[in-house]
């Protein structure tokens, strides 16, 4: 039977989140992805670009071109979109603290190419609130950050009307451990905070406000519990519809639609038996396409090997083909909503809505989401949820195939190749980007740059919309770091609560109680033998803000009796070595997920040696390929832990043994 | 455990006197170490460092207040002022430990809240867990703060204020500052508790909140003025905002003014002597109980001997300890 005659719905926008090394290399990748049938672009920026530093800043060392493309000025933006017609493309940019800047570069580039900005369509993620809770690429304090979001909304609604200026993200909340109820509640609270802020700015007339509401879109996560996830998205739709109607008086039902894009869950992807990630990704995707009423507008899928390192073009193609099979081979798009009328689904949706309403009330009672973030409440809730998840994995209550059950495996031909099945970023990328930026600085007109930066600083001070002066900066050739620093000088920088100040969970962890007692004895007796309690420094060097792993290690170490110094994110190797010295710790743990582990670890070790602390043991956690792990051991690192080491108790036992060995005590071996 | 890794105390002392950072760190590690050999070396180290400076130099400041009052942000703002005026600063940040049956671990999160500029050699921060010692401040904090006093112009001891901690902090700092949180029940409890007699300076943080902050300030001012500990000190109450950096300047000036007041009235040396004897008494009581303290002649006798020996609290303590151990051992022998 051929179904060709049936009317099919339009598929969602099909994207792949990508970008690496340089604007030129990323442009080639984009054009080849578009040729393969991708219908939109999703730009990944490197960490210096995301946090507003130039490629030649000391903090950017080792991070340029690692997790995405470096964009230092309008010339890089031009190269990134070489031969790509901006007025016909739908471009999504995963950019937050510097979203106003990257949007300004995009608009300025369109102007330079003679394209009317009104024809641009795409999305800037621009949800700076969730950056404080997860992901960590914030720069400024919450007040100015909210203002930057509001400025981009106010500007695009009038001048770039097809643009989605902000993507309220529940995605990263789930990565940080949020339950579906928490995801619903915190994302909706964030959306309300954003809309309230825009309303308060008074820039938009009351009758035009529904257009603002319509432009708010969401970026959602989908995990492996796909029935519940599907219900979560239906709950989102219902709650958003109600909220926009009652709180913001939007009468037109079309403008109240819950529009969202998706990247499916990366938290549940495993390094062990990584081929299983393919079926995980397919099932997770199902939850966001199955129900027509709650179907995603745009989807990007991770690659099967994301837990191992950077995906290669072929891995990305596989992710793209999954979407195409779903959209074009299956009959999914031929039907109306296949879940309408199911009492099971309706009951689950109602349960999620009830839970989310209660949590929204909790947040409201604390003065809204900003206050609840500043007080550390939200972060604490998320860290606790994440800890529960890890404990459930440790106890085996939560099953993960290939990780805590069915671990036996034949050797995989997929990972047998000489490239270890991941892509190596170009090692010369950083040096070349620095040279390119420095050459650019020499070519531009210095007085134009100074005048544009002054106008930017004035706008930041006066409260005038930041976009026009940012576009002027873009056209004048201002660099990303100069834009970031001009606003830092006015707004200041922010350090948020870490959320690790949560109470010890004294409940028995299923089947683990003996191991925890054993560990506590080991930590205490080793401390006694050395004369003072074991002290651990947990540090995150570089610009990578994914602090969940570091926080879990810090909390676990505290639970088993360590005195833990946690210094937060974005530290230079020098700051970490200085902290190790001042604090007199017995061991240093470094967490690096950006792929810059070789450069950063080497610098930390070097800094420790200059302080006469060459003997201090250092352990490393992160996405570290096996051959890099060998090189780290050769440098003197005493332990390397990757996503496959999910057993925190075992890691703790290991750390105690590392300390013992470095202090002339015998190792105690595996836990009982 | 080999003692080879423990530093030579005399050598270490000379390096500390040269203000070498690595030596300060290693000295603090030694003072924190409870191994018998380490304790002996710690006594030698402190004996090398002791002297008149411990009676009249530097400024020991205790900062306390309820959790969430913004102590670290305020200390951070103060550090900027001190550093701008060219003074070096050492910080001992004390955080609570979990109960021993829960492993006794601690999360020491103050460094992250005290945002420091890169490469500042004039600032040194050591975080400490209070290790459940009598619910107050760990005994190690006293000698550690004295060691820091050798190397830094200002030494700040920051603690979360809960009852016993406040009493302890008053026996460490020359100047004690209480940081209050506006519109919170903590302050009312605090005013009622009688511990309000301890601080010399009050700060009401988050002044940007407006009316609630002013209300809290006036409540504190009313209670503070009723105290008649020292007629000639005015117990200032400052409205500050650490995040908006308002009120910091005049708040900062009160610390200098208080130190000048202590010096002019001849109180500084007496206060320091009292704090030294408080530490000796505390250690004796920890190790030998009230009975031991009686054997030592009580607090007054300790203080008298210390004032005669001019600051050798470590030798005083070791002498008491040896004396008591021999007494106890001889008692044991006779009863056996």
């Amino acid at each position: 039977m051929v179904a060709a005659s049936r009317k099919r719905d339009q598929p969602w926008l099909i994207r792949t989140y990508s970008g690496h090394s340089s604007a030129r290399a990323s442009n080639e990748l984009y054009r080849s992805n578009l040729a393969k049938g991708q219908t939109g672009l999703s730009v990944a920026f490197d960490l210096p670009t995301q946090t507003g530093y130039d490629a030649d800043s000391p903090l950017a060392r080792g991070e340029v071109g690692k997790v995405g493309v470096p964009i230092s000025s309008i010339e890089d933006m031009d190269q990134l979109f070489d031969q790509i017609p901006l007025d016909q493309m739908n471009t999504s940019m995963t950019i937050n603290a510097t979203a106003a800047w990257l949007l300004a570069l995009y608009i300025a580039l369109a102007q330079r190419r003679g394209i009317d900005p009104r024809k641009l369509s795409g999305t800037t993620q621009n949800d700076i609130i969730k950056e404080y809770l997860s992901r960590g690429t914030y720069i400024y304090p919450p007040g100015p950050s909210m203002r930057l979001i509001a400025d981009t909304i106010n500007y695009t609604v009038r001048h770039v009307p097809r643009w989605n200026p902000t993507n309220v993200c529940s995605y990263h909340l789930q990565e940080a451990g949020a339950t579906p109820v928490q995801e619903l509640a915190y994302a909706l609270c964030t959306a309300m905070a954003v809309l309230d802020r825009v309303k308060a700015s008074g820039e938009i007339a009351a009758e035009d406000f529904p257009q603002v509401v319509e432009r708010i879109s969401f970026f959602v996560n989908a995990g492996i519990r796909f029935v519940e996830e599907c219900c979560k998205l239906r709950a989102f739709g219902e709650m958003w519809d109600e909220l926009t109607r009652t709180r913001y008086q939007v009468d037109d039902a079309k403008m109240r639609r819950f529009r969202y894009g998706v990247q499916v869950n990366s938290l549940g992807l495993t390094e062990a038996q990584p081929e299983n990630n393919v079926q995980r990704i397919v099932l997770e995707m199902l939850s966001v396409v199955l129900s027509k009423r709650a179907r995603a507008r745009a989807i990007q899928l991770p690659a099967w090997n994301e837990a191992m390192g950077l995906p290669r073009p072929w891995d990305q193609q596989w992710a793209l083909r999954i979407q195409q099979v779903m959209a074009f081979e299956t009959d999914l798009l031929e039907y109306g909503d296949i879940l309408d009328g199911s009492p099971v689904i309706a009951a689950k949706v109602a349960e999620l809505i009830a839970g989310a309403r209660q949590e929204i009330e909790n947040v409201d009672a604390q003065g809204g989401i900003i206050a609840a973030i500043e007080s550390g409440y939200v972060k604490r809730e998320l860290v606790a949820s994440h800890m529960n998840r890890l404990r459930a994995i440790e106890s085996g209550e939560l099953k993960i195939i290939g990780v805590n059950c069915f671990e036996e495996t034949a050797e995989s031909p997929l990972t047998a190749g000489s490239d270890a099945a991941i892509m190596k970023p170009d090692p010369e990328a950083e040096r070349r980007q620095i040279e390119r930026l420095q050459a650019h600085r020499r070519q531009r007109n210095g007085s134009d740059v100074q005048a544009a930066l002054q106008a930017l600083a004035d706008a930041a001070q006066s409260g005038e919309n930041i976009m026009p002066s940012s576009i002027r900066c873009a056209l004048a050739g201002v660099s990303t770091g100069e834009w970031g620093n001009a606003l830092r000088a006015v707004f200041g920088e922010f350090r948020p609560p870490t959320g690790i100040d949560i109470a010890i969970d004294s409940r028995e962890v299923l089947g683990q109680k003996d191991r925890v007692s054993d560990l506590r004895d080991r930590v205490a007796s080793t401390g006694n033998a050395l004369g003072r309690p074991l002290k651990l420094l947990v540090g995150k060097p570089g610009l990578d803000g994914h602090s969940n792993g570091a926080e879990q290690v810090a909390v676990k170490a505290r639970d088993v009796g360590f005195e833990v110094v946690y210094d937060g994110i974005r530290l230079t190797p020098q700051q970490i070595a200085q902290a190790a010295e001042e604090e007199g710790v017995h061991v240093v743990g470094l967490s690096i997920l950006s792929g810059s582990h070789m450069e950063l670890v080497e610098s930390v070790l070097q800094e420790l040696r200059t302080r006469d602390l060459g003997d201090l043991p250092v352990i490393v956690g992160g996405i570290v390929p096996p051959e890099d792990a060998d090189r780290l051991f050769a440098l003197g690192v005493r332990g390397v832990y990757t996503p496959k080491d999910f057993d925190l108790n075992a890691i703790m036992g290991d750390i105690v043994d590392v300390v013992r060995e470095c202090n002339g005590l015998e190792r105690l071996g595996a836990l009982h | 455990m080999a003692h080879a890794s423990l530093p030579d105390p005399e050598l270490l002392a000379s390096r500390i006197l040269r203000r070498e950072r690595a030596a300060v760190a290693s000295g603090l590690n030694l003072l924190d170490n409870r191994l018998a050999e380490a304790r002996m070396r710690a006594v030698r180290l402190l004996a090398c460092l002791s002297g008149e400076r411990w009676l009249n130099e530097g400024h020991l400041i205790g900062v306390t207040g309820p959790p969430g009052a913004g102590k670290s942000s305020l200390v951070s703002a103060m550090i900027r002022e001190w550093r701008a005026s060219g003074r070096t600063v050492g910080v001992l940040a004390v955080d609570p430990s979990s109960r021993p049956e829960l492993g006794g671990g601690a999360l020491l999160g103050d460094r992250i809240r005290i945002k420091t500029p890169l490469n500042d050699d004039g600032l040194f921060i050591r975080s400490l867990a209070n290790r459940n010692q009598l619910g107050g401040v760990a005994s190690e904090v006293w000698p550690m703060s004295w060691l820091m006093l050798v190397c830094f112009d200002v030494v700040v001891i920051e603690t979360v204020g809960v009852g016993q901690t406040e009493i302890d902090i008053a026996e460490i700092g020359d100047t004690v500052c209480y940081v209050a949180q506006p519109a919170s029940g903590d302050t009312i409890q605090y005013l009622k508790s009688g511990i309000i007699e301890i601080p010399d300076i009050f700060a009401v943080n988050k002044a940007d909140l407006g009316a609630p902050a002013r209300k809290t300030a006036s409540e504190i001012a009313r209670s503070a003025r009723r105290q008649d500990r020292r007629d000639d000190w005015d117990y200032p109450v400052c409205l500050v905002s650490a995040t908006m950096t308002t009120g910091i300047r005049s708040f900062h000036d009160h610390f200098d003014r208080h130190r000048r007041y202590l010096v002019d009235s001849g109180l500084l040396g007496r206060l320091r002597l009292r704090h030294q004897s408080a530490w000796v008494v505390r250690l004796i009581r920890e190790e030998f109980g009230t009975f031991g303290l009686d054997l030592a002649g009580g607090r007054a006798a300790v203080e008298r001997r210390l004032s005669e020996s001019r600051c050798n609290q470590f030798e005083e303590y070791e002498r008491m300890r040896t004396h008591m151990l021999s007494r106890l051992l001889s008692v044991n022998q006779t009863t056996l």
Side-chain angles (χ1 to χ4, degrees), chain A residues 100-168:
Chain A
W101 171 240
L102 272 298
L103 178 58
L105 287 171
Y106 198 71
I107 294 170
L109 180 63
Q111 286 178 0
R112 211 165 78 167
R113 290 185 182 179
I115 295 167
D116 182 357
R118 303 188 73 81
K119 291 188 177 151
L120 296 177
S121 62
T123 305
T124 33
Q125 191 164 81
N126 205 14
D127 172 359
I128 309 176
I129 303 310
K130 61 93 176 51
E131 297 291 329
Y132 300 123
L133 300 172
S134 169
R135 207 167 174 280
T137 66
Y138 52 81
I139 306 175
Y140 314 112
S145 293
M146 286 301 285
R147 178 240 167 132
L148 287 175
I149 299 174
D151 279 1
T152 50
I153 295 174
N154 281 325
Y155 185 83
T156 54
V157 164
R158 279 173 295 176
H159 304 289
V160 199
R162 290 161 64 195
W163 197 265
N164 298 310
T166 180
N167 231 209
V168 175

Side-chain angles (χ1 to χ4, degrees), chain B residues 202-207 210 213-214 217 237-241 246-248 250:
Chain B
F202 297 87
V204 178
N205 202 2
K206 307 182 187 180
R214 287 194 299 274
V237 182
C238 310
L239 276 166
V240 294
S241 166
T246 51
I248 301 297
S250 65

Side-chain angles (χ1 to χ4, degrees), chain A residues 495 498 500 504 520 528 530-531 533 535 558-559 561-564 567-568 574-575 578-579 581-584, chain B residues 21 25 29 32-35 98 101-103 105-108 111-112 118-119 123-127 129 131:
Chain A
R495 297 220 132 189
T498 57
I500 58 170
I504 289 187
R520 284 178 179 164
N528 287 339
L530 299 181
K535 201 169 179 185
R558 187 275 312 256
D559 283 6
F562 279 91
E563 294 184 354
V564 182
D567 242 3
Q574 195 202 10
Q575 283 171 314
Q578 188 173 332
E581 175 179 74
E582 290 182 13
E583 296 293 354
Chain B
R21 298 178 71 82
N29 293 350
D32 202 15
N33 197 317
R34 282 167 306 202
L35 296 179
S98 59
E101 66 273 26
L102 293 177
L107 284 169
L108 310 172
R111 291 190 80 84
I112 191 173
L118 283 173
N119 264 333
L123 174 63
F124 190 109
I125 303 171
R126 168 68 61 109
S127 320
R131 299 178 190 155

Side-chain angles (χ1 to χ4, degrees), chain A residues 418-432:
Chain A
S418 60
D419 59 356
I422 52 165
M423 200 182 84
K424 302 273 166 352
D426 178 0
E428 291 297 296
E430 182 161 317
R431 186 180 56 75
R432 275 203 286 266

Side-chain angles (χ1 to χ4, degrees), chain A residues 18 23 49 77 91 145 154 165 279 380 384 436 474 546 568 578 580 599:
Chain A
S18 52
T49 307
M77 203 62 151
T91 305
S145 293
N154 281 325
Q279 52 268 30
R380 215 152 39 234
R436 195 175 142 77
H546 292 82
Q578 188 173 332
E599 295 90 335

Side-chain angles (χ1 to χ4, degrees), chain B residues 17 39 67 75 114-115 132 150 155 163-164 186 202 228 236 238 241-242 249 254-255 261 264 291 315 326 333:
Chain B
L17 288 167
R39 288 178 62 126
V75 166
I114 301 176
K115 197 170 170 6
N132 296 298
V150 175
V155 176
Q164 185 61 43
D186 296 318
F202 297 87
D228 50 1
C238 310
S241 166
R249 220 30 244 255
H254 289 305
F255 285 88
Y261 156 75
D264 294 347
F291 174 69
E315 278 172 14
S326 66
Q333 273 155 9

